[in-house]
Amino acid sequence: MIKPENQQNEPEIIETINLYERREKIYTRAFEGFYRNLRNYGGALLFLLYFGTVWFTWGDRQAILWDLGTRQFHIFSETFLPQDFILLSWMLIICAFGLFFITVLAGRVWCGYTCPQSVFTWVFMWVEKVTEGDRNKRMRLDKAPMSTEKFARKFAKHLLWLLISLAVGITFVGYFTPIRALIGDLLTIEASAWAVFWIGFFTLATYGNAGWLREQVCIYMCPYARFQSVMYDKDTLTVHYDATRGESRGPRKRNADPKELGIGDCIDCNLCVHVCPTGIDIRDGLQYECISCGACVDACNGIMDKMGYDRELITYTSESAIEGNKTHLFRPRLIGYFIALCLITGLFIVTLTQRTVLEFEALRDRQSLYSTNTAGQIENIYTLKLVNKSQQPQTLNISVSGLKGVIIRGDTRITLDPGSVASLPVRLTVPPEVLTGTNTTIEFHANSDSADGPATSAESRFLSPRTTP
Ligand code: SF4
Ligand code: SF4
C-alpha cells in the first residue's frame, strides 16, 4: 500500500478486531404503566385461548383437532380435508397481509405484544423476578459464589420455566392428538414415541428460546425482524425519544426548572435502558433491535410524573411528527394493504360459505372414447370421485341426466364414512338411435337418502360415433 507523503514515516498500526461479541446478559427492571397493562391483559387473553380451547369438546370429539392420522382438521362443527388446502393458503395470505398492514401502521407491535417469543419471554422474566428478586438482587446473585440460597433460587426458576414449557409442549401436541387421551397416556407411560418426541421438542424450544436466548431470537434469528424495516415509512408509529425536548440530558433536583438550568427534560436516570428487553438505549434513535414493546415509554412516563414534567418524552409517534410535520395515517401504501386485506378476507369468506360438505367429480375414462356392447349400445366409462366432508356417514344415490334412455351400469348406491373419499367406477349405456351428436353434455347427480341431506352434481361428456343421416 502506498502511503501519502505526509504519513510515510508513521508506524503502521495493525488492529485485531474480534468479530465475535460475547452476549451481555440483560437484567431488566420491573416497571408499571399503561402499555405494560395492555400487554398483560392481551397476553392473558392469548394464554386463555392457547391453553383453553384445546379442552373444548364438540359432540363426541375435541372441538379443535388437527388429526394427522386421518388427515382431517376439525374446528367446531366443520371438518376440513386435504382437498380444502386452498383455505389454509387463503388464511396464511390473510395473516401475511394483516402483518404487513399492522407493520406499516405501527411498526413491530406484533413483536412487542403478541409474538409467542415475546409473550413467553415476559412470563419467564416475571418468574425470574419472583424467584431471584429484582434487577439489582439478580445481578448480585449472579456474581455471588454458589450457596444454598443461590442454588435454591436458581433451581426454583429453572423448575418453573420447565413446568411452563412442558405445559406449552403438551398443549401444542394436544391440538394434534386428543389431549385427554394424551395426558392419560403420559400418566400411564403409554404415550407414543412421536408424541413424547414432539412434547420434548416444544418443551425445550420454549425453555431455550424464552429462558436463555430471549432477545437474540428477535435480533438474530427472526426473519420478520430483518425485513420489517423496509415496510416502515416516515408516518409509521414507532417508539421515539424526543431529543429536542430531552437534550441536553442530566441529573437535577426534583423541583428544579430545567429551563433555568439550561438542560432538557431527560434526567439521565437510564430507567428506559434498564427496562428494555433488548437492552438498547432508545435515546440513540430508532434501532432494528427495538420490538416496540413500549416498556421504555411506561418507565419514562413514570419518571416524568415524579418530576412533574409532561409525559411522552418517549412515545409512540412517527418520524414525521418528530421532524415537526403532520403524521399521515391514511396514506396510499396503508390503504393499499387494507384494500388487499379486505378483498382477500372477502374471498376467503365466500370460499368458506360456498364450501359443500360433499365433493363430487366425474372423470371420463381417457383410455377409450367409447365402445359398442353386444346389444349394439354405445358405452362410456367413468370414475366418480366422492368426498364426504361432513361429520355424519352419508348414503348417496347416483343418477344421471342429459341423455334419453341412458342407463347406469354399476353400483348406484354408496355409503361414505365421515371424512372419507371413494372412487366409484360406472358405465353408461345409450341406444345409438337416441344420440343426436358425437359429444353430449351429461350430468351425474349424488343425492342423499335423507331429505335434508346433501345433494350435488358433476358435469361430464358422453362421446359416441358419428351417426349416419
Ligand atoms: S427514562 Fe426518560 S428521563 Fe430517564 S433516561 Fe430515559 S429518557 Fe431520560
Ligand atoms: S427501546 Fe423501548 S420499545 Fe424498543 S424494545 Fe426497548 S423498551 Fe421496548
Side-chain angles (χ1 to χ4, degrees), residues 116-135:
Q117 170 63 24
S118 309
V119 173
F120 281 110
T121 299
W122 289 106
V123 171
F124 276 40
M125 288 195 308
W126 173 78
V127 169
E128 204 163 48
K129 183 175 157 266
V130 169
T131 51
E132 294 184 354
D134 62 18
R135 180 174 188 266

Side-chain angles (χ1 to χ4, degrees), residues 122 239 272 275-282 289-297 314 316:
W122 289 106
V239 175
C272 51
V275 297
C276 178
T278 62
I280 57 170
D281 187 343
I282 195 66
E289 292 97 335
C290 176
I291 57 168
S292 279
C293 68
C296 54
V297 180
I314 302 176
Y316 284 97

Side-chain angles (χ1 to χ4, degrees), residues 371 373-384 398-400 405-413 424-431 444 462:
S371 61
N373 65 15
T374 50
Q377 294 167 320
I378 311 300
E379 248 181 33
N380 277 205
I381 298 171
Y382 303 84
T383 302
L384 305 182
I398 308 294
S399 60
V400 66
V406 65
I407 295 172
I408 303 182
R409 314 261 176 202
D411 287 337
T412 54
R413 191 173 161 81
L424 192 68
V426 293
R427 280 181 302 134
L428 294 187
T429 61
V430 178
F444 285 95
F462 188 92

Side-chain angles (χ1 to χ4, degrees), residues 108-115 118-119 122 222 224-225 228 291-292:
R108 291 179 71 182
V109 283
W110 156 263
C111 303
Y113 292 84
T114 42
C115 171
S118 309
V119 173
W122 289 106
C222 176
Y224 173 58
Q228 48 83 31
I291 57 168
S292 279

Side-chain angles (χ1 to χ4, degrees), residues 412-428:
T412 54
R413 191 173 161 81
I414 184 170
T415 300
L416 289 168
D417 288 333
S420 66
V421 182
S423 291
L424 192 68
V426 293
R427 280 181 302 134
L428 294 187

Side-chain angles (χ1 to χ4, degrees), residues 131-433:
T131 51
E132 294 184 354
D134 62 18
R135 180 174 188 266
N136 292 341
K137 264 193 182 168
R138 292 201 304 276
M139 289 167 87
R140 279 201 301 274
L141 191 74
D142 278 357
K143 279 191 192 132
M146 185 52 78
S147 63
T148 316
E149 189 201 340
K150 181 170 176 172
F151 179 80
R153 287 184 181 278
K154 295 271 173 200
F155 181 79
K157 177 179 85 172
H158 288 284
L159 184 66
L160 283 172
W161 280 1
L162 278 168
L163 286 175
I164 295 169
S165 306
L166 184 64
V168 172
I170 292 174
T171 305
F172 191 83
V173 174
Y175 280 102
F176 295 85
T177 305
I179 194 153
R180 287 178 175 80
L182 177 68
I183 288 182
D185 288 348
L186 286 171
L187 292 174
T188 53
I189 323 175
E190 285 172 5
S192 72
W194 276 115
V196 173
F197 169 79
W198 285 114
I199 289 171
F201 178 84
F202 286 107
T203 302
L204 287 180
T206 310
Y207 173 74
N209 286 338
W212 293 90
L213 293 175
R214 293 195 175 175
E215 80 287 350
Q216 296 180 90
V217 176
C218 311
I219 297 172
Y220 305 114
M221 293 160 71
C222 176
Y224 173 58
R226 291 281 150 185
F227 74 75
Q228 48 83 31
S229 58
V230 298
M231 286 187 252
Y232 281 21
D233 56 33
K234 285 193 152 218
D235 295 306
T236 299
L237 298 175
T238 45
V239 175
H240 285 275
Y241 163 71
D242 186 350
T244 323
R245 188 187 136 193
E247 301 297 316
S248 56
R249 63 188 82 159
R252 80 283 315 259
K253 290 210 170 78
R254 185 171 287 196
N255 296 322
D257 182 356
K259 285 197 184 80
E260 273 178 20
L261 296 170
I263 53 176
D265 281 357
C266 173
I267 65 165
D268 207 14
C269 62
N270 276 336
L271 199 61
C272 51
V273 182
H274 292 166
V275 297
C276 178
T278 62
I280 57 170
D281 187 343
I282 195 66
R283 293 172 298 171
D284 295 340
L286 183 62
Q287 294 143 73
Y288 76 93
E289 292 97 335
C290 176
I291 57 168
S292 279
C293 68
C296 54
V297 180
D298 279 339
C300 191
N301 279 343
I303 294 293
M304 293 296 109
D305 288 349
K306 276 187 196 148
M307 297 300 295
Y309 301 164
D310 288 342
R311 287 181 148 218
E312 306 198 332
L313 176 58
I314 302 176
T315 189
Y316 284 97
T317 189
S318 69
E319 214 178 310
S320 295
I322 287 286
E323 288 168 0
N325 301 320
K326 195 171 177 285
T327 302
H328 298 97
L329 270 189
F330 303 104
R331 47 205 192 273
R333 188 145 62 133
L334 197 64
I335 295 169
Y337 279 133
F338 183 70
I339 292 172
L341 192 60
C342 291
L343 283 176
I344 298 165
T345 310
L347 281 170
F348 174 75
I349 292 168
V350 169
T351 315
L352 195 66
T353 48
Q354 288 185 348
R355 181 178 165 269
T356 55
V357 291
L358 199 62
E359 213 169 88
F360 187 29
E361 220 182 338
L363 306 170
R364 239 188 60 78
D365 180 20
R366 293 184 184 274
Q367 301 293 325
S368 65
L369 295 179
Y370 57 85
S371 61
T372 309
N373 65 15
T374 50
Q377 294 167 320
I378 311 300
E379 248 181 33
N380 277 205
I381 298 171
Y382 303 84
T383 302
L384 305 182
K385 288 219 174 248
L386 291 139
V387 184
N388 177 12
K389 293 182 185 170
S390 74
Q391 294 178 30
Q392 298 83 36
Q394 300 288 352
T395 300
L396 302 162
N397 296 303
I398 308 294
S399 60
V400 66
S401 65
L403 263 178
K404 259 194 211 160
V406 65
I407 295 172
I408 303 182
R409 314 261 176 202
D411 287 337
T412 54
R413 191 173 161 81
I414 184 170
T415 300
L416 289 168
D417 288 333
S420 66
V421 182
S423 291
L424 192 68
V426 293
R427 280 181 302 134
L428 294 187
T429 61
V430 178
E433 58 273 16

